[in-house]
Amino acid sequence: MRMADDTTPSTVPRIGAIGSCRVHVPLQHAEAAGLLSYVRHTGFGYVHNPYEIEQIIKLTTGAATRPQRHLSALMAIQKWRTLTPTSFAETSGGADALILELSSIRILRFRGRYLQIHRFREFLKEYGDIKLNAAFFEDHDGARDALMEIADRMPDDWTRTVVEELEFWEMTEDELTASLKRIHDATTQPLTFVNLVTNNFQKQGVRQREMLRDGISAFVAKHDRTRLVDPTAWVNEAGVEDVMLDSSHYAPHYEPVVGRRLAEAAMESLRAVSTPARAAEPS
C-alpha cells in the first residue's frame, strides 16, 4: 500500500493477523466493509500466547522444521504442507501492517513445540477431564499427578509420552518481554498488539490478563513501530453483558465494531511510520 503526501492511503491496506477468533472474525467484517484487505496464513488455526506466534513465524520462514504430522494437530496447524520457508512472506508477513493478539501467558510445550491449549484439552478429554485453568498452572505438583493418572489410561506409547513429558507454566514478565522482542525483531512492518479484555462480567480484573496487558504496554513504550490496543474500555463502555458472550468472547453483533476499531488502529500504525519525526527547532 502506497501512502499519498497527506498520508492518506491510496488503496485499502493489506493487514495481516495472528491470534484467535477475537481478531480474525472482526477483521473479516472490516474487510467486508471495505476498510482493509485481510491477509492470513490459512495453515494455522487460532493461537493465544507469544510463544505460539514466534513458532508460527519460525515454521513459515524456515527457521524451524515442520513437526511430525501427528504432533501438528496439537499445535493449531491445519494445513501441514503450507508450512514452507516463503509462506510467511507470501501471507501475513507480506502485509502492510500486522495485528497480533495475545490473550494468554499459559504455556504448554512438548519437546520444544508449543501446543495450542484448546486442542490439548480435547486430546486429553477421551481419557479424563482436566481443566487447564489457573488452578492447574498454580498447583504444578497436583497438575502433574492428574496428568500421570491420565497417561496410565492411554493406549499407546506416543500419547502417553506427550502427557508424561509435557512442560507447562505461566510466563514471567521477563519471558514475555523477551518473546515480544524476538517477535519485533523477526518482523519489519508496524505491529499492533491486542490484548484480551482484562476484567470479567463483574468488572473485576483478571490477574494473568492484566499482567499481559501491562507487559505489552511497557514493551510498546520502548520500541518503535509498535502499539497496543486494549479493548477493555470499549467493552466496559458498551456494557460487558451486552457485547460479550462470556468473559472472553465478543457477541456476534459487536464483532463488526471491534473490526472497525482494529482497522483504525492499523491505519494509525501505518500513518505513524510514514510520517517522519519532525526535527527539533534550533535553540
Side-chain angles (χ1 to χ4, degrees):
M1 183 196 72
R2 292 182 304 170
M3 304 296 287
D5 290 341
D6 63 357
T7 73
T8 301
S10 55
T11 59
V12 294
R14 297 176 72 248
I15 304 301
I18 304 174
S20 76
C21 60
R22 286 175 291 268
V23 291
H24 289 303
V25 175
L27 288 173
Q28 290 170 19
H29 285 289
E31 182 175 50
L35 301 177
L36 51 80
S37 174
Y38 173 51
V39 185
R40 178 185 175 190
H41 195 300
T42 59
F44 289 91
Y46 299 150
V47 297
H48 305 91
N49 64 64
Y51 288 160
E52 288 181 289
I53 291 180
E54 284 192 70
Q55 181 168 256
I56 285 178
I57 294 172
K58 289 178 180 178
L59 287 170
T60 53
T61 58
T65 58
R66 287 189 292 194
Q68 295 177 316
R69 284 180 179 273
H70 54 265
L71 181 57
S72 66
L74 299 179
M75 297 169 57
I77 296 172
Q78 298 180 152
K79 298 177 182 178
W80 186 81
R81 291 188 180 278
T82 66
L83 308 185
T84 65
T86 61
S87 60
F88 186 67
E90 292 165 355
T91 56
S92 302
D96 298 314
L98 268 176
I99 293 176
L100 305 176
E101 187 216 16
L102 303 176
S103 57
S104 180
I105 57 172
R106 293 171 182 162
I107 308 300
L108 302 174
R109 184 171 65 187
F110 171 69
R111 295 184 177 178
R113 307 286 194 175
Y114 295 96
L115 311 185
Q116 204 258 31
I117 193 165
H118 299 312
R119 292 198 179 193
F120 187 72
R121 184 186 292 116
E122 288 300 310
F123 168 73
L124 295 177
K125 208 171 190 179
E126 184 177 347
Y127 309 102
D129 183 20
I130 291 185
K131 292 179 171 56
L132 304 178
N133 54 17
F136 177 89
F137 287 87
E138 289 167 3
D139 180 9
H140 201 273
D141 291 341
R144 177 62 67 192
D145 289 343
L147 288 171
M148 291 306 98
E149 287 182 19
I150 282 184
D152 289 341
R153 303 182 203 128
M154 291 181 158
D156 60 82
D157 291 341
W158 184 80
T159 53
R160 283 194 298 273
T161 300
V162 172
V163 174
E164 289 169 352
E165 295 186 15
L166 181 74
E167 300 173 84
F168 54 96
W169 73 95
E170 288 190 348
M171 299 178 79
T172 65
E173 292 180 9
D174 287 344
E175 287 175 326
L176 173 60
T177 300
S179 182
L180 294 174
K181 182 66 165 60
R182 289 190 295 269
I183 292 169
H184 177 272
D185 292 349
T187 56
T188 58
Q189 60 271 83
L191 303 177
T192 297
F193 293 105
V194 185
N195 62 275
L196 185 58
V197 174
T198 58
N199 56 241
N200 58 22
F201 275 21
Q202 291 73 43
K203 295 188 178 180
Q204 298 168 328
V206 179
R207 177 190 56 81
Q208 71 139 335
R209 299 183 186 186
E210 292 179 333
M211 178 270 200
L212 187 56
R213 176 205 58 201
D214 294 345
I216 300 170
S217 179
F219 180 84
V220 165
K222 298 177 181 178
H223 293 82
D224 62 354
R225 64 180 176 82
T226 63
R227 64 183 50 227
L228 169 64
V229 171
D230 179 3
T232 306
W234 321 335
V235 167
N236 288 339
E237 183 178 354
V240 181
E241 295 181 356
D242 294 328
V243 300
M244 300 291 288
L245 290 178
D246 53 44
S247 64
S248 300
H249 298 92
Y250 301 118
H253 72 270
Y254 193 63
E255 289 170 335
V257 177
V258 176
R260 288 198 302 274
R261 299 269 194 169
L262 294 178
E264 290 166 1
M267 291 299 295
E268 288 171 4
S269 74
L270 286 167
R271 292 190 185 98
V273 299
S274 68
T275 305
R278 181 176 295 176
E281 295 293 336
S283 55

